[in-house]
């Protein structure tokens, strides 16, 4: 299969001058890894937006996934102008066919994806198991992938005091 169709109800968020449209869904990791790619930011060319993986974080996520203490969370995917030309609307429903040769940009979850890649590389059985996992996603249908990446990284972390108090309780 060299193309994948993302489809569902086009959801809208609008508190300002324009709608932010997005799609919520789930797809098997085997498809995710073919049709979504982290495009690392290259300062020399100005291309991409994603940061490089953090090996210690990837290992910690892998351990949590294998220990069953990982809480599945949304992988964030964007669209570039070339992808948006393929959007098809039918009332409130939208579909986007993506070719393997023109994957969507991964905006958040690069370390999680790297952890899954590490696990799947360990054996054929794990490869099959990981490829069949459902990955929850949010797919932004409009916006700017670089600006969205920056907004996603700008979240305020929980204070250490609060985290410690919750752990103790």
């Amino acid at each position: 299969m060299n193309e994948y169709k993302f489809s569902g109800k086009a959801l809208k968020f609008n508190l300002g001058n324009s709608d932010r449209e997005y799609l919520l869904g789930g797809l098997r990791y085997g498809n995710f890894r073919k049709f979504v790619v982290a495009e690392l930011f290259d300062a020399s060319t100005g291309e991409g937006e994603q940061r490089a993986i953090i090996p210690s974080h990837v290992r910690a996520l892998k351990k949590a996934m294998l220990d069953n203490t990982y809480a599945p969370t949304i992988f964030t995917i964007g669209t570039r102008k070339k992808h948006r030309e393929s959007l098809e609307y039918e009332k409130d429903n939208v579909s986007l066919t993506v070719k393997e040769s023109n994957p969507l940009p991964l905006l958040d979850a690069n370390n999680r994806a790297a952890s899954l890649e590490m696990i799947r590389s360990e054996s054929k059985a794990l490869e099959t198991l990981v490829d069949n996992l459902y990955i929850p996603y949010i797919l932004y249908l409009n916006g700017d992938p670089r600006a969205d990446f920056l907004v996603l990284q700008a979240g305020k972390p929980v204070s250490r005091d609060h985290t410690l108090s919750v752990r103790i309780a």
Side-chain angles (χ1 to χ4, degrees):
M1 169 178 22
N2 54 3
E3 60 181 39
Y4 183 84
K5 183 182 260 187
F6 292 84
S7 60
K9 182 174 180 174
L11 302 170
K12 296 181 183 193
F13 186 92
N14 183 343
L15 292 176
N17 298 339
S18 62
D19 289 335
R20 282 305 309 266
E21 289 189 319
Y22 60 98
L23 185 64
L24 292 173
L27 76 157
R28 292 193 188 273
Y29 185 73
N31 288 324
F32 175 89
R33 66 188 303 275
K34 291 179 186 178
F35 300 100
V36 180
V37 67
E39 295 184 29
L40 300 183
F41 178 71
D42 182 340
S44 66
T45 64
E47 296 295 316
E49 55 280 317
Q50 186 60 259
R51 64 180 172 173
I53 61 168
I54 302 166
S56 61
H57 188 48
V58 170
R59 288 188 302 273
L61 285 165
K62 175 189 172 197
K63 181 180 182 329
M65 288 174 181
L66 293 173
D67 290 346
N68 212 24
T69 57
Y70 170 77
T73 188
I74 295 222
F75 284 45
T76 306
I77 307 168
T79 53
R80 300 197 191 287
K81 185 178 179 183
K82 59 187 175 186
H83 299 115
R84 291 183 206 126
E85 294 168 358
S86 301
L87 286 170
E88 295 179 17
Y89 289 88
E90 186 178 317
K91 296 186 181 179
D92 288 343
N93 294 314
V94 64
S95 65
L96 172 62
T97 301
V98 178
K99 295 185 178 180
E100 203 170 343
S101 61
N102 187 19
L104 298 170
L106 178 63
L107 303 182
D108 191 41
N110 197 23
N111 287 297
R112 286 172 264 155
S115 299
L116 290 168
E117 287 296 321
M118 188 181 286
I119 294 166
R120 84 186 284 284
S121 72
E122 292 181 3
S123 73
K124 186 67 175 163
L126 283 172
E127 179 181 314
T128 301
L129 186 65
V130 170
D131 282 353
N132 283 313
L133 290 172
Y134 274 97
I135 301 300
Y137 69 83
I138 183 169
L139 171 57
Y140 296 132
L141 301 174
N142 58 7
D144 174 2
R146 184 169 298 163
D148 290 341
F149 170 80
L150 291 171
V151 168
L152 291 165
Q153 303 310 312
K156 180 102 172 112
V158 176
S159 75
R160 288 183 180 186
D161 292 341
H162 181 75
T163 301
L164 180 59
S165 295
V166 171
R167 282 192 177 132
I168 290 170

